[in-house]
Amino acid sequence: MKKIKGFSECYRPISCTVHVTEVEWDQKKEAVHMGKAEEYVVYLNQAEELHFMTPKSEPLQFTIQPSTFEIYNFVPVEKLGGSIKFAPIGLTNMFNSGGTIQELECVEKGAKVKVKGDGRFLAYSSESPKKFQLNGSDVAFEWLPDGKLTLNLAWIEENGGVSDLAIFF
């Protein structure tokens, strides 16, 4: 049996900053346009917090405690029908929540989103939707004044786990 010795002086919080301009959007051809957005929602996975950022904003400051982590998801904000702001975060129960978004189509006064997986879908929405459809049927959703728009999704085997969401404002 091996013993591992820890050194308490090495277990200290680490403080740092993060900014949208530090994201390497050009790593994938499909993501280059995302780096040109005017505004972003930053979702902190473990803290379950939403923050706004522009390329000219101050960096987000954070402190990571020993043996913990945080995942920062930078999601471009889309403007729908003038003043409505919308950003799909994805399935928050997944390690890579943004990776669950298969497709986003902005339509007049709404958005269509394809999401793969099951769990808690989260999006930022500056206004409460008038109607939310899941695979063509109206469904109940939760919208909070801080902009968190949520819906629980189940895995549907016939669709390969892909859910079609339609959000109307």
Side-chain angles (χ1 to χ4, degrees):
M1 181 170 158
K2 285 188 170 183
K3 287 188 178 187
I4 298 174
K5 183 177 181 176
F7 297 91
S8 59
E9 65 273 10
C10 295
Y11 290 90
R12 296 187 182 184
I14 297 174
S15 295
C16 198
T17 62
V18 66
H19 196 271
V20 67
T21 58
E22 297 170 340
V23 177
E24 295 176 344
W25 298 104
D26 60 352
Q27 292 293 310
K28 283 196 162 219
K29 189 171 61 173
E30 316 74 62
V32 170
H33 73 283
M34 295 170 69
K36 295 178 170 74
E38 293 176 21
E39 189 174 26
Y40 297 84
V41 169
V42 184
Y43 176 67
L44 283 65
N45 179 279
Q46 297 301 300
E48 297 183 353
E49 295 175 359
L50 293 176
H51 297 272
F52 283 93
M53 180 173 277
T54 70
K56 296 178 181 175
S57 296
E58 290 295 317
L60 288 176
Q61 296 185 2
F62 63 93
T63 300
I64 302 291
Q65 298 299 322
S67 302
T68 67
F69 68 95
E70 186 60 82
I71 299 173
Y72 291 77
N73 294 288
F74 290 83
V75 183
V77 173
E78 301 287 340
K79 291 186 179 169
L80 309 175
S83 64
I84 300 167
K85 294 180 179 183
F86 179 79
I89 309 299
L91 297 176
T92 59
N93 56 300
M94 300 292 184
F95 199 67
N96 177 10
S97 59
T100 64
I101 304 292
Q102 301 290 294
E103 194 175 302
L104 170 64
E105 179 186 356
C106 296
V107 295
E108 188 177 329
K109 291 279 190 175
K112 294 181 178 180
V113 185
K114 288 188 183 286
V115 183
K116 185 167 186 171
D118 64 339
R120 182 175 171 253
F121 171 77
L122 173 67
Y124 169 78
S125 177
S126 61
E127 295 181 23
S128 178
K130 290 185 173 76
K131 186 160 96 170
F132 201 129
Q133 291 184 332
L134 171 60
N135 299 321
S137 299
D138 290 355
V139 291
F141 59 89
E142 182 179 13
W143 180 81
L144 299 172
D146 67 356
K148 287 182 180 177
L149 173 63
T150 60
L151 174 73
N152 287 320
L153 300 179
W155 181 275
I156 301 171
E157 191 61 43
E158 302 83 62
N159 297 345
V162 176
S163 298
D164 289 311
L165 308 179
I167 304 147
F168 302 99
F169 297 93

